[in-house]
Amino acid sequence: MTERGYNFAYLDEATKRMIRRAILKAVAIPGHQIPFGAREMPLPYGWGTGGIQVTASILGPRDVLKVIDQGADDTTNAVSIRRFFRRVAGVETTERTAEATVIQTRHRIPERVPVEGQIIVYQVPQPEPLYKLEPRRAETRRMHALADYGLMHVRLYEDIARLGRVATAYDYPVMVDGRYLMAPSPIPAFDNPKMDRMPALQLFGAGREKRIYAVPPYTPVRSLDFEDHPFRPIRAPHACALCGSSESYLDEVVTDDKGGRMFVCSDTDYCASRRDVAQEAAE
Amino acid sequence: MSPLLAARDLTLRFGAIPALDGVSLEIWPGEVVAIVGESGSGKTTLLRVLSGQQRPEAGAVLYRDPEGAEQDILGMSEAALRRLMRTDWGFVHQNPRDGLRMGVSAGGNVGERLMAVGARHYGSIRAEATAWLKRVEIDPARIDDLPRHFSGGMQQRLQIARTLVTRPRLVFMDEPTGGLDVSVQARLLDLIRALVADLRLAVLIVTHDIAAARLLAHRLLVMRQGQVVEAGLTDRVLDDPQHPYTQLLVSSVLAA
């Protein structure tokens, strides 16, 4: 049942049109940040206003929406955003990666990499990969324009000099199509390789910073590294305590105050379906 | 042979004040040219115009690139100019804070230009940085220290290492010894002189320190109110000044 008094998917048509134009431009220039007039949304900045606006603009009545937060379908943010779109757009929602046409995500890419025809929408807190190194936006724009990215390597150099390895574990900077340096949003570096030549369209929305960018399907995305210190995705050296997977990205869950802990898949859908398959096999 | 950098009839006014008034000059490969003059005489403006950071109202700046082709600096695209600025040219600022990244280690500072031109091998970047720290007399053990923990003289030497690491052919220096005490100045001048001879650098140095100019420069340009009032070999200009202003400048130098 759709809420009355709201336009389909909450935003008015003119706003959606404006955002779609930004998205089209972003797709045309992979990795390049396109400014857009982000609207006030009925939730605070930092909770996914950018992602929600992108999702609202691309959603059609026949779409099936999945929302994940840190890989999980059952956390507050994921549940609320799913319910929001059920109410204002009346679209079907799902927790299954395979059934979704649009996947809005915060901080993860599903273990089952999105396929052709799917769209993955990232919530982005900080779209500018250089902001910690160069606070002036006019200057970072110039650096992007001139592909002047030596500074980013300086940061990696500093990490290796101080710690012996690149310490960036999330929001690990990537080069898109050999041209634009891009912040992949705070996904773990573990997920970076999934972005490379992904068959699905990847859209990024930053609401507070008012930027949209995109990676079209099958676009090369390379994590920055040095020849003698190649990029290595980091993963906890355990198997999931629930499904036994030794390939998925794990969350560490503290279970008591005596040092007890367990490692479980952060992707709840992946974990649950693996357990279903195991149970069926046992029966 | 032809000049490395040639400027013709540069003119620039800030309101009613002529910062550059028909300035022409040439810099030849391996030559150190000093520009002296009082504050406000247009020295720094000239440096900024020659290095493409500021546009003059009239005039031309031509640069001969390593392939021997003549480039019009003022007509260059920003990308080409930036590439020139981080490979074939160098700029040493008066205040090392302007030329260094204070939050990045000494090694990272030296390596930045290498990485900017595409060096992607950590080991060789580090080896190059170590070699350059030694060359500018900084203990290589301090490669991972931040410049803000360095003394003023060390910061300035680090800035020079960072600038020279890509083996530029032309270096602009804006009062490189300003703000340092005399003994540190002397050491820095010594170092610059050795490096310039070693690498056969062409240097354009702006200074109001006549002694520094005498020590480093082959040729001297005296500027006043945006005009070059006297130019010639350093010793000739300083020992036999012709223009009244140069005479005043030379006679104002304090003898220790």
Side-chain angles (χ1 to χ4, degrees), chain A residues 64-75:
Chain A
V64 181
L65 179 68
K66 171 184 164 84
V67 182
I68 51 174
D69 173 7
Q70 303 273 14
D73 292 277
D74 51 7
T75 49

Side-chain angles (χ1 to χ4, degrees), chain B residues 35-146:
Chain B
I35 305 173
V36 297
E38 61 194 3
S39 303
S41 59
K43 304 186 301 278
T44 301
T45 306
L46 177 60
L47 205 61
R48 288 177 54 82
V49 169
L50 290 176
S51 59
Q53 295 175 56
Q54 186 151 17
R55 295 193 72 82
E57 281 156 14
V61 182
L62 298 173
Y63 175 70
R64 192 162 294 280
D65 68 18
E67 284 79 46
E70 201 153 75
Q71 304 275 355
D72 176 12
I73 296 301
L74 304 173
M76 248 178 169
S77 74
E78 204 181 336
L81 192 61
R82 213 172 244 225
R83 193 158 51 243
L84 198 60
M85 209 56 177
R86 64 191 184 200
T87 53
D88 223 20
W89 286 5
F91 204 105
V92 176
H93 296 263
Q94 173 176 8
N95 188 342
R97 270 158 223 284
D98 297 335
L100 292 174
R101 294 196 183 275
M102 301 308 279
V104 169
S105 71
N109 264 295
V110 178
E112 181 178 349
R113 272 170 75 107
L114 292 173
M115 292 183 249
V117 296
R120 293 290 179 264
H121 193 280
Y122 175 80
S124 48
I125 291 167
R126 201 158 166 88
E128 187 82 8
T130 310
W132 269 99
L133 289 183
K134 277 195 203 134
R135 209 156 172 180
V136 298
E137 300 164 22
I138 295 174
D139 182 2
R142 301 199 64 179
I143 188 167
D144 293 330
D145 290 357
L146 295 182

Side-chain angles (χ1 to χ4, degrees), chain A residues 133-134 139 142-143 145-151 153-158 160-162 222 225-229, chain B residues 78-79 82 86 101 103-105 107-108 111-112 115-116 119-126 129 143-144 146:
Chain A
L133 305 163
E134 175 54 70
E139 183 58 25
R142 187 170 292 129
M143 289 161 80
L146 302 175
D148 185 1
Y149 296 135
L151 198 53
H153 268 94
V154 172
R155 185 175 138 198
L156 301 187
Y157 169 93
E158 289 288 289
I160 299 174
R162 229 173 302 141
R222 205 174 51 76
D225 60 0
F226 285 104
E227 287 156 15
D228 47 347
H229 285 265
Chain B
E78 204 181 336
R82 213 172 244 225
R86 64 191 184 200
R101 294 196 183 275
V104 169
S105 71
E112 181 178 349
M115 292 183 249
R120 293 290 179 264
H121 193 280
Y122 175 80
S124 48
I125 291 167
R126 201 158 166 88
I143 188 167
D144 293 330
L146 295 182

